[in-house]
Amino acid sequence: MAGGKKAAVAVLLVVVVVVVSSSAVAPAAAAGAPFMVCGVDADRMAADCGSYCRAGSRERAPRRECCDAVRGADFKCLCKYRDELRVMANIDAARAMQIPSKCRIKGAPKSC
C-alpha cells in the first residue's frame, strides 16, 4: 500500500509542477523542446491529465493518453515537489493520486 501512495503523490506533483510552471515557460520549451519534469513532458501531462485532476471533474478514469504520459515518470524525483501541493486550489489531490492505480502503472512506488 505504501508504494501506491508514493506514486500517487508523485503524479499529483507532476500536475502541480505543470500548473505552477505554466506561467513561466522554460527557454527550451519556448524553443519547441518539451518541458521535462522528472522524466515527464509537463505540457503533455497538463494536456492529457489536467481535466481528470481538476477540482470538480466528473471523469470516471484518466484517459489512456494521461496514463501514457505518466508511465515513464521518475517518481522519486517527483516526490521532491510535494510541498508545492499546498498552494494549489484548482487540483483535486485525491483524483490526481488515483492516476497510478487507475492506470495500473507497474512498479510505481506507493508513497513519498
Side-chain angles (χ1 to χ4, degrees), residues 7 10-11 23-24 26-27 31 43 48 56-57 59 66 76 87 97 102:
V11 169
S23 60
D43 295 328
D48 296 340
S57 174
E59 293 180 23
C66 174
K76 192 172 187 178
V87 300
M97 292 179 73
K102 292 234 179 214

Side-chain angles (χ1 to χ4, degrees), residues 44 48-49 59 61-71 103:
R44 180 179 174 203
D48 296 340
C49 299
E59 293 180 23
R63 296 181 303 149
R64 180 182 198 144
E65 294 85 0
C66 174
C67 295
D68 291 344
V70 173
R71 212 167 293 285
C103 293

